[in-house]
Amino acid sequence: MQTADKCNQEKLQHCKQKAGCCIDSAKDKLFALSKDIWSCPELAYEEKQSHDILVRFFTETEKGWSVERHYKLDTAFRATWGPTGGNKGGDTLNIGFLCEYDALPGIGHACGHNLIAEVGAAAAVGMKGALEALVDPPVRVTVTVIGTPAEEDGGGKIDLIEAGGFEDLDLVFMAHPSQEDAAYLPDMAEDDVTVKYYGKASHAAAYPWEGINALDAAVLAYNNLSLLRQQLKPDWRLHGIIKHGGVKPNIIPAYSELDFYLRTPKRRDLPVLRAKAEQCFRSAAMATGCRVELQYGPHEYHNVLPNKTLARLYEENGKALGIEFTTDEQVLNTQSGSTDFGNLSFVVPGIHPYFYIGSEALNHTEEYTAAAGRASYPCSL
């Protein structure tokens, strides 16, 4: 028994070494992929160049992949290597790696999605190389890479879930750049809402009493939500902007618009926060005499379910590669942002770890955009 266990451990170590060697040999190509995506920031559902860069990587730069160029969404793709005809729960293990590549308006890849694309491609290349090195693999394995657009706005993964895009996967992996290395950080459930107030224009100096001020409604709503915060649970979040507030100071604004994000640690609490926020929006309309419309986003993002087994294995293997994982309890227990990977975590077992890119800059800032353009992180998976 000890001899068999030792033999299996040696095979496993050989696979890990082979995966690392494959990634190392492809590091220049992987960095070029990341840099090219970073250089052409594209918004949600519009990532045509970034999509094409990744498709070319799996059709031309790397060999042996079967690629579906437009996988259920125009800017999604699917690259597959290994046994075909596998079915979830059958005799073939189908392991999925995800690539994100949409950017933020105005500041480009300030969330480092170009690095998520690089890491997803690198992990898939490494696993393919490791499996090819096995003479007698103990299980049949298919490696699948799925390009998932529109994480920042819209929820491309949720679109793919609804279209059956992950039904044959047994496990799914992606990794996100951050200010520290962590196998798991809590991501929140999130819903976004656009609030539109309709009033009546009038000359603001000559006869303001004839107008109905939509900007007043927006300001009231904003202040209502600010006051609401003191009555919310400490880990609930709501934040937003006044997107439109009028056209000229001497015209009573007939239209105003706000965008707000609502977040709770668990998806079950999101309807409670949504109901409280709606009271703030509607009461502002009532107070000013405006008409109000609420338009919620196409998808609600769920919190990410932790997978303790995968997180433990990720951390064990990461430490063996020299990664120093954060032990800061405040970081590990403080709610972070939101991601459509959360919805996927309720459908397929998976992991969404965070990795340090050598910069203390904060995500969604111009400084992080610059850091994401300098970084390359293919060798720590």
Side-chain angles (χ1 to χ4, degrees):
M1 179 66 70
Q2 289 181 347
T3 302
D5 287 343
K6 183 179 180 181
C7 181
N8 288 334
Q9 286 298 319
E10 289 176 350
K11 286 182 179 179
L12 180 59
Q13 190 59 34
H14 174 69
C15 285
K16 291 179 181 180
Q17 291 173 348
K18 182 63 177 178
C21 289
C22 289
I23 294 172
D24 285 342
S25 65
K27 64 181 181 181
D28 292 338
K29 295 181 289 186
L30 290 163
F31 178 72
L33 179 150
S34 173
K35 193 69 173 180
D36 288 346
I37 293 174
W38 180 88
S39 299
C40 62
E42 298 166 298
L43 301 183
Y45 299 109
E46 299 174 6
E47 317 95 323
K48 296 186 182 300
Q49 293 184 68
S50 300
H51 165 273
D52 292 348
I53 289 166
L54 280 156
V55 167
R56 283 196 299 272
F57 180 84
F58 286 103
T59 56
E60 299 174 13
T61 306
E62 292 293 313
K63 305 300 180 184
W65 296 87
S66 175
V67 178
E68 189 172 342
R69 293 175 179 268
H70 302 287
Y71 182 60
K72 303 186 183 297
L73 299 173
D74 186 49
T75 54
F77 73 91
R78 176 172 171 135
T80 306
W81 174 89
T84 58
N87 58 300
K88 185 173 183 177
D91 60 353
T92 299
L93 182 64
N94 194 345
I95 300 176
F97 297 97
L98 304 187
C99 294
E100 292 178 0
Y101 34 90
D102 62 323
L104 287 158
I107 53 176
H109 279 288
C111 207
H113 287 192
N114 58 303
L115 299 175
I116 296 176
E118 179 186 5
V119 167
V125 167
M127 175 158 282
K128 173 178 175 289
L131 292 168
E132 287 176 327
L134 287 176
V135 177
D136 185 23
V139 292
R140 287 160 48 94
V141 177
T142 297
V143 181
T144 298
V145 182
I146 298 181
T148 61
E151 189 276 337
E152 293 289 357
D153 185 19
K157 294 182 191 63
I158 307 170
D159 292 328
L160 289 169
I161 291 170
E162 293 178 349
F166 302 101
E167 287 183 352
D168 62 343
L169 294 184
D170 295 286
L171 295 169
V172 65
F173 301 97
M174 68 165 282
H176 198 294
S178 186
Q179 293 75 47
E180 60 278 308
D181 285 293
Y184 170 80
L185 294 177
D187 284 277
M188 307 178 79
E190 182 269 337
D191 204 356
D192 57 270
V193 58
T194 296
V195 184
K196 299 180 179 182
Y197 290 106
Y198 297 91
K200 179 184 177 184
S202 182
H203 196 294
Y207 28 86
W209 54 86
E210 294 292 338
I212 300 175
N213 197 317
L215 178 58
D216 282 351
V219 172
L220 273 176
Y222 193 95
N223 288 331
N224 287 346
L225 292 165
S226 295
L227 292 171
L228 175 65
R229 286 191 182 95
Q230 66 178 323
Q231 307 300 328
L232 298 180
K233 293 182 178 181
D235 50 6
W236 291 14
R237 299 286 184 269
L238 54 84
H239 43 90
I241 60 170
I242 298 177
K243 193 174 181 180
H244 192 287
V247 294
K248 204 170 185 291
N250 62 352
I251 303 174
I252 298 291
Y255 175 77
S256 66
E257 183 176 325
L258 304 94
D259 281 344
F260 262 83
Y261 285 7
L262 315 175
R263 304 183 199 255
T264 57
K266 304 295 183 184
R267 63 175 183 172
R268 65 172 177 265
D269 293 325
L270 204 50
V272 179
L273 178 56
R274 190 160 49 226
K276 291 178 180 293
E278 283 191 10
Q279 288 180 323
C280 292
F281 296 133
R282 296 190 187 282
S283 63
M286 184 180 298
T288 57
C290 290
R291 180 170 62 87
V292 62
E293 288 183 3
L294 304 181
Q295 296 180 351
Y296 285 93
H299 299 301
E300 172 188 302
Y301 284 20
H302 296 167
N303 51 290
V304 175
L305 287 178
N307 189 304
K308 294 182 179 179
T309 300
L310 292 177
R312 175 179 57 80
L313 291 171
Y314 180 87
E315 192 162 324
E316 288 176 358
N317 284 279
K319 287 179 177 178
L321 291 169
I323 298 177
E324 296 182 5
F325 290 90
T326 183
T327 57
D328 187 329
E329 289 298 323
Q330 183 175 358
V331 172
L332 293 171
N333 294 307
T334 298
Q335 301 297 329
S336 183
S338 305
T339 171
D340 55 1
F341 186 91
N343 300 65
L344 187 55
S345 72
F346 281 82
V347 177
V348 183
I351 189 173
H352 183 273
Y354 288 83
F355 60 88
Y356 179 56
I357 65 170
S359 172
E360 303 305 318
L362 300 178
N363 297 63
H364 290 213
T365 65
E366 292 180 354
E367 291 79 10
Y368 207 82
T369 301
R374 294 190 299 266
S376 182
Y377 198 80
C379 301
S380 297
L381 299 174

